[in-house]
Amino acid sequence: MVEAYEKDIICDALKSSKGKVAAAARSLSTTPRILTYKINQLGIDLSAFGK
């Protein structure tokens, strides 16, 4: 359940930033490195967000 919530939040941030991880990380108050780790861990496909 927590994983699904995290995935939704990250996907929303990536949509807002048009797939730019650094911008999404800033909006989530985290680092691009941590966000990239979470993206990989959750199996999020960045190509779906215009990257």
Side-chain angles (χ1 to χ4, degrees), residues 8-50:
D8 286 343
I9 290 173
I10 292 170
C11 287
D12 288 343
L14 287 168
K15 284 177 194 169
S16 297
S17 67
K18 298 180 179 124
K20 295 179 182 166
V21 175
R26 276 192 300 277
S27 73
L28 295 171
S29 299
T30 189
T31 64
R33 183 177 177 187
I34 291 172
L35 186 57
T36 300
Y37 172 79
K38 293 302 283 183
I39 288 168
N40 292 331
Q41 184 182 32
L42 296 170
I44 297 171
D45 181 19
L46 284 175
S47 64
F49 302 101

